[in-house]
Amino acid sequence: MSETPTVAVFRPDDDRLERAAELLADLGAEPVPDPMLAVEATDAVPRTDSDYVVFTSKTGAELVSEAGWVPGDETVCAIGPATADALRAEGYAVDLVPEEFTSSGLVAALSDAVDGARVEVARSDHGSPVLLDGLADAGAYVHETILYRLVRPEGSGESAAMAAAGELDAACFTSSLTVDHFLEAAAQRSVREAALEGLTDAVVGVIGEPTAETAAERGIDVDLVASEATFDRLAAETVDAATDGE
């Protein structure tokens, strides 16, 4: 590893990618911003007949505001503090944030309360089935509204080329979809196998167990799962690991 490790980050190409790159630089890394997610809004809004409405991302919070969603008496739930902050910034009250910022954590927080209740899950088209299945198993009547689709941006894959050339020291994968899109971008550049080999010599950090499982299934060795499911913690722990590997 170099004194300033190169660290790939795959956030959507908006303020999140800019902030992530700044954070990595502040941590002493050389960021490689390589957006693997682009948002295509559906202009849908949550159903109005629910007892609970669940949001799982900052993007979802912003899109429902833009679409003019007006909540009623439902309990508004956010999967984590970033989503909760985004909802509040749009003027919405947040009633529940689980202690564990994951789909399973949200299920655990709601499982004793939703038997017989109508639960609306408003999110992207790539949401984990863990949330829907867990709420249904708890006795809820679950409906999912797709607020946006996540696609791979044209031109992505700089990090895959760097991995293939042995020039990438670390990578921060923030969802299963970023793993798949990284490999798609590598394949499009005809460097998939070389990129996978390059990642074996890099520190691979992931934001949670579902992402770790996807990476392992795709042949990527995961070095660490963030101790908290936030990008700040993922970035800090990945840079620490990359620096310790000098």
Side-chain angles (χ1 to χ4, degrees), residues 93-113:
V94 177
D95 302 300
L96 184 146
V97 180
E99 292 183 8
E100 179 188 338
F101 312 144
T102 63
S103 293
S104 57
L106 193 49
V107 169
L110 289 172
S111 59
D112 291 337

Side-chain angles (χ1 to χ4, degrees), residues 72-206:
D73 296 329
E74 61 268 65
T75 298
V76 176
C77 309
I79 199 168
T83 303
D85 288 346
L87 285 163
R88 295 185 183 110
E90 299 297 338
Y92 300 120
V94 177
D95 302 300
L96 184 146
V97 180
E99 292 183 8
E100 179 188 338
F101 312 144
T102 63
S103 293
S104 57
L106 193 49
V107 169
L110 289 172
S111 59
D112 291 337
V114 296
D115 188 13
R118 296 182 300 277
V119 180
E120 169 78 337
V121 177
R123 60 182 185 174
S124 82
D125 63 331
H126 284 280
S128 166
V130 169
L131 183 55
L132 304 185
D133 293 346
L135 291 171
D137 289 345
Y141 299 100
V142 184
H143 179 267
E144 181 183 35
T145 292
I146 302 301
L147 302 177
Y148 58 101
R149 300 181 182 89
L150 290 170
V151 299
R152 183 169 64 84
E154 289 296 324
S156 61
E158 177 192 357
S159 60
M162 290 180 65
E167 298 171 351
L168 193 67
D169 296 320
C172 295
F173 289 101
T174 49
S175 68
S176 293
L177 197 56
T178 58
V179 173
D180 286 336
H181 284 183
F182 173 89
L183 294 175
E184 286 177 15
Q188 190 175 55
R189 292 170 180 246
S190 302
V191 296
R192 188 180 191 278
E193 294 308 315
L196 281 170
E197 184 175 343
L199 286 181
T200 64
D201 296 324
V203 173
V204 175
V206 301

